[in-house]
Amino acid sequence: MKKTEELNLVTEWDKVFPKSEKVDHKKVTFANHFGITLAADMYIPKNVTGKLPAIAVSGPYGAVKEQSSGLYAQTMAERGFLTIAFDPSFTGESGGFPRYMTSPDLNVEDFQAAVDFLSVQDNVDPERIGIIGICGWGGVALQTACLDTRIKATVTSTMYDMTRVAANGYFDADDNKEARVKARKAVNAQRTEDFRNGTYALAGGVVDPLPSDAPFFVKDYYDYYKTNRGYHKRSLNSNDGWAITGMISLSNMRQFHYAGEIDNAVLMIHGEKAHSCYMSKDAFKLLNGDNKELYIIPDAVHTDLYDGGDKDYIPFDKLESFLHEYLK
């Protein structure tokens, strides 16, 4: 029998986006198969009856549900879907100890647990469930779609394959044995120090202050996570980051091995000028079927799909039409 932890959930509205009057909002919790209780915001369209199509949303990697995923969830609820935006294990308001750890198999389990939860809600049609993953959780969403046949439609937005970045570095610049061995030695030395000190050292979030010679993608992250645009006190990226040793499992596996066997619909959205666009383009090549689509947003950079940037780049009309088509 699953048991849930007692979580100390915030009651006031503390999102980085304004509250919509078109939906009802409440906090919910549910346990995954590892016994970790996850916290989520549920958004329900007002004045709608019957069993609704439902969507679970998470991401970006190192963000919290009060940031981008909550915006997506609330907006899609305005468009007729029952939605939840959840914090992954060990982060945000969700349970799990030690804090700020990550694991690719546990991340997939979190998404599956969200589907478990939605499947048994009285006002949800369990045959019409989709997921949306943003940034690193776009990769997790696609990996979950490889496994969970209950998911009828998957959307990835500004997707990152965290296992590829962890093993190969940005732009595959460290895709060689020497670089990987060097990284492994550093992480394993840190394990020894952590054990000696009885604590887990954190990697640090987005660099602050921002160096003048920082590459564009670092500036892009800073503009979201370190400014009023997207800063949140519980966000790892906005503050002290992940545990250094918690990231090592990402570099020891690769996602999407069975992506070609996903029968249900997939929409992959990415900004044309995002530094990460190559990851969506490469992952899309693995998919099969005429219900798969790669949708490139002209001129948009990576974080423009977190909150729309300065030109409302998130194609919510496209998401709505795609999800209504495949969750009908």
Side-chain angles (χ1 to χ4, degrees):
M1 187 70 179
K2 287 188 176 182
K3 295 182 179 180
T4 57
E5 304 167 69
E6 290 292 330
L7 302 180
N8 184 22
L9 302 178
V10 173
T11 57
E12 70 270 13
W13 185 266
D14 64 345
K15 324 299 185 194
V16 301
F17 52 90
K19 186 176 183 180
S20 171
E21 297 303 319
K22 299 178 181 179
V23 304
D24 291 320
H25 163 265
K26 65 178 180 179
K27 292 286 184 75
V28 298
T29 61
F30 51 91
N32 67 19
H33 278 191
F34 292 98
I36 298 170
T37 299
L38 305 183
D41 286 297
M42 178 182 282
Y43 299 91
I44 306 172
K46 289 184 176 180
N47 304 316
V48 176
T49 59
K51 290 187 176 291
L52 301 176
I55 307 167
V57 191
S58 198
Y61 210 81
V64 287
K65 64 188 182 305
E66 288 74 22
Q67 295 172 307
S68 183
S69 62
L71 173 64
Y72 275 70
Q74 179 176 260
T75 305
M76 297 312 296
E78 290 178 333
R79 294 166 181 250
F81 301 87
L82 183 148
T83 65
I84 58 172
F86 65 91
D87 285 329
S89 296
F90 308 120
T91 68
E93 291 189 295
S94 287
F97 185 82
R99 303 301 290 167
Y100 314 137
M101 291 290 182
T102 185
S103 169
D105 61 331
L106 202 150
N107 293 341
V108 168
E109 167 56 30
D110 285 345
F111 246 139
Q112 290 201 272
V115 175
D116 295 340
F117 173 79
L118 290 174
S119 295
V120 300
Q121 301 307 302
D122 291 340
N123 52 352
V124 167
D125 182 346
E127 297 301 318
R128 293 191 291 162
I129 293 177
I131 60 174
I132 299 174
I134 307 158
C135 187
W137 274 78
V140 176
L142 190 62
Q143 180 73 356
T144 308
C146 297
L147 182 65
D148 199 324
T149 55
R150 299 172 298 175
I151 298 167
K152 300 303 189 293
T154 300
V155 176
T156 71
S157 182
T158 199
M159 190 209 78
Y160 249 60
D161 178 355
M162 292 301 301
T163 63
R164 181 175 178 176
V165 174
N168 296 356
Y170 286 98
F171 316 110
D172 296 325
D174 295 325
D175 187 12
N176 59 80
K177 177 182 176 180
E178 291 76 15
R180 279 188 283 270
V181 169
K182 181 180 179 181
R184 290 166 189 157
K185 287 181 176 179
V187 170
N188 288 311
Q190 186 63 55
R191 284 185 66 104
T192 303
E193 286 303 304
D194 286 353
F195 191 84
R196 178 180 291 115
N197 297 331
T199 187
Y200 294 96
L202 301 180
V206 175
V207 62
D208 188 17
L210 184 69
S212 59
D213 60 348
F216 173 75
F217 72 90
V218 175
K219 295 177 180 178
D220 189 24
Y221 285 133
Y222 183 94
D223 286 344
Y224 182 79
Y225 286 110
K226 289 294 190 176
T227 69
N228 290 336
R229 176 183 167 194
Y231 176 85
H232 196 278
K233 63 183 180 181
R234 289 192 296 275
S235 168
L236 281 68
N237 296 337
S238 291
N239 297 284
D240 295 327
W242 296 95
I244 294 172
T245 58
M247 304 291 286
I248 188 63
S249 61
L250 291 169
S251 65
N252 203 38
M253 67 158 288
R254 186 59 62 86
Q255 298 182 121
F256 314 150
H257 184 75
Y258 295 109
E261 299 179 6
I262 300 173
D263 289 330
N264 291 319
V266 177
L267 171 64
M268 303 188 73
I269 300 168
H270 224 111
E272 175 191 27
K273 295 184 178 178
H275 69 278
S276 51
C277 193
Y278 70 98
M279 288 187 251
S280 280
K281 290 179 178 178
D282 287 352
F284 183 75
K285 294 173 185 176
L286 303 174
L287 304 179
N288 293 307
D290 57 7
N291 58 352
K292 313 296 192 295
E293 183 177 356
L294 177 63
Y295 192 77
I296 302 296
I297 311 298
D299 297 324
V301 299
H302 186 82
T303 65
D304 282 336
L305 296 187
Y306 284 10
D307 62 353
D310 59 357
K311 294 185 179 179
D312 293 328
Y313 280 110
I314 302 173
F316 282 119
D317 288 344
K318 177 68 176 178
L319 269 72
E320 179 182 0
S321 62
F322 172 82
L323 289 166
H324 272 309
E325 178 179 0
Y326 291 105
L327 299 180
K328 60 188 175 183

